[in-house]
Amino acid sequence: MESCSKSARESSSPFDFLIFDLDDTLYSSKTGIGEALKKNIDDFLVERCGFAPEKTTTLRVELFKTYGSSLAGLRALGYDIDADDYHSVVHGRLPYHLIKPDPQLRNLLRSTTQRKIIFTNSDRTHAMKALKRLGLEDCFDQIVCFETMNPNLAESARPDEFPVVLKPSPEAMRIALRETSVDPRRTLFLDDNVLNIAAGKAVGLHTVLVGKTVKTKEADYALQTVNDLPNVVPGIWVNPIHGSAGDDQIINATRSGEIDSILTPVGA
């Protein structure tokens, strides 16, 4: 994918890579998408698997707790669920109109020189639709998604032959690092899920917990929203270790003005 980074300007940051979760990270969990997702999973359990409607909510919660997702749980239990069919119901029926463009976030991403990556458990079609709704479809260099982590699922002879791989499993983290070729020591990982943050920290990533104001043990930073990034992690733009004191003052002054412009609401 084409990136909207300003690659002509040399980066002075300690981070060379920025890895972002998608849902509830790049847009708020209050949009209503999450609630619609739960309903769609319940509908799938009724329509495709034949479960009684009154049992679906409890089943969905248990599958998530035990296996990480309803799809992973159903396949592990022997249900021959096609991943594309699952995603066509669970994501395909989402009210994407609830996701609004975020010019401020676009400007923030454009102001960074790092290579930017999406790392999501969702399928690629959903990722592209959500990014387009946000106005960010050209702002990332790579997407690591469900298909990336589960390339052989469609070839399985039985449902449990290839267990579904998703964050926060160690295998998912290994795949992400391998596919992106990032250096964990130079990478900032942003996610709204505390288990995913812990998994990121376990493989050596610098971590940012999004949607919270208090850090967990494994989170290096905490953000209420991803648009708070310049205030909380200014090191993305400035590395005070490099250059002389005079150089740092120049860099800080330049980037400070840039960050101020990012934080100014569009149309203000």
Side-chain angles (χ1 to χ4, degrees), residues 15 74 127 174:
F15 305 113
L74 290 169
R174 285 193 291 269

Side-chain angles (χ1 to χ4, degrees), residues 194-212:
V194 294
L195 296 179
N196 295 344
I197 288 294
K201 179 56 66 176
V203 296
L205 298 169
H206 299 273
T207 53
V208 182
L209 180 61
V210 179
K212 304 291 190 296

Side-chain angles (χ1 to χ4, degrees), residues 160-232:
D160 61 346
E161 182 178 0
F162 298 114
V164 173
V165 176
L166 300 169
K167 292 183 290 180
S169 73
E171 179 62 16
M173 304 309 296
R174 285 193 291 269
I175 290 171
L177 294 181
R178 184 186 70 230
E179 292 293 322
T180 59
S181 300
V182 302
D183 179 352
R185 299 167 299 178
R186 305 276 304 171
T187 302
L188 195 66
F189 172 51
L190 298 91
D191 201 296
D192 67 289
N193 185 293
V194 294
L195 296 179
N196 295 344
I197 288 294
K201 179 56 66 176
V203 296
L205 298 169
H206 299 273
T207 53
V208 182
L209 180 61
V210 179
K212 304 291 190 296
T213 55
V214 179
K215 298 187 297 182
T216 60
K217 181 177 66 174
E218 294 86 1
D220 297 306
Y221 308 93
L223 302 173
Q224 186 63 52
T225 74
V226 73
N227 284 323
D228 294 330
L229 199 55
N231 283 334
V232 180

Side-chain angles (χ1 to χ4, degrees), residues 24-256:
D24 298 339
T25 296
L26 291 186
Y27 63 90
S28 172
S29 60
K30 298 177 182 179
T31 58
I33 292 293
E35 291 306 310
L37 182 74
K38 293 174 184 177
K39 180 184 182 303
N40 291 348
I41 294 174
D42 289 350
D43 289 345
F44 183 89
L45 293 173
V46 173
E47 296 171 14
R48 299 294 199 271
C49 304
F51 290 104
E54 62 272 16
K55 296 182 178 180
T56 57
T57 298
T58 300
L59 177 60
R60 167 172 49 79
V61 171
E62 288 303 315
L63 290 173
F64 180 79
K65 286 182 178 179
T66 306
Y67 300 96
S69 81
S70 295
L71 173 61
L74 290 169
R75 289 184 63 88
L77 293 173
Y79 288 85
D80 191 11
I81 304 298
D82 178 78
D84 289 339
D85 183 47
Y86 177 83
H87 289 133
S88 73
V89 174
V90 172
H91 289 145
R93 299 179 184 178
L94 288 175
Y96 284 101
H97 66 278
L98 296 178
I99 302 176
K100 306 301 182 183
D102 191 339
Q104 185 179 352
L105 180 54
R106 180 176 177 83
N107 289 341
L108 185 154
L109 294 171
R110 285 176 61 86
S111 74
T112 65
T113 62
Q114 290 86 356
R115 184 168 156 230
K116 291 175 281 294
I117 298 157
I118 291 290
F119 182 21
T120 176
N121 283 341
S122 299
D123 63 290
R124 184 173 295 273
T125 297
H126 168 73
M128 293 303 299
K129 285 183 178 179
L131 289 173
K132 187 172 183 179
R133 288 294 308 173
L134 287 164
L136 307 178
E137 66 268 29
D138 60 345
C139 287
F140 295 90
D141 302 278
Q142 189 174 356
I143 295 177
V144 176
C145 58
F146 181 89
E147 290 87 347
T148 315
M149 294 180 279
N150 299 276
N152 300 316
L153 207 60
E155 302 171 6
S156 60
R158 61 182 192 278
D160 61 346
E161 182 178 0
F162 298 114
V164 173
V165 176
L166 300 169
K167 292 183 290 180
S169 73
E171 179 62 16
M173 304 309 296
R174 285 193 291 269
I175 290 171
L177 294 181
R178 184 186 70 230
E179 292 293 322
T180 59
S181 300
V182 302
D183 179 352
R185 299 167 299 178
R186 305 276 304 171
T187 302
L188 195 66
F189 172 51
L190 298 91
D191 201 296
D192 67 289
N193 185 293
V194 294
L195 296 179
N196 295 344
I197 288 294
K201 179 56 66 176
V203 296
L205 298 169
H206 299 273
T207 53
V208 182
L209 180 61
V210 179
K212 304 291 190 296
T213 55
V214 179
K215 298 187 297 182
T216 60
K217 181 177 66 174
E218 294 86 1
D220 297 306
Y221 308 93
L223 302 173
Q224 186 63 52
T225 74
V226 73
N227 284 323
D228 294 330
L229 199 55
N231 283 334
V232 180
V233 198
I236 291 174
W237 290 266
V238 179
N239 181 3
I241 296 174
H242 295 316
S244 65
D247 290 339
D248 288 338
Q249 290 174 2
I250 293 171
I251 292 172
N252 273 289
T254 301
R255 293 299 175 89
S256 176

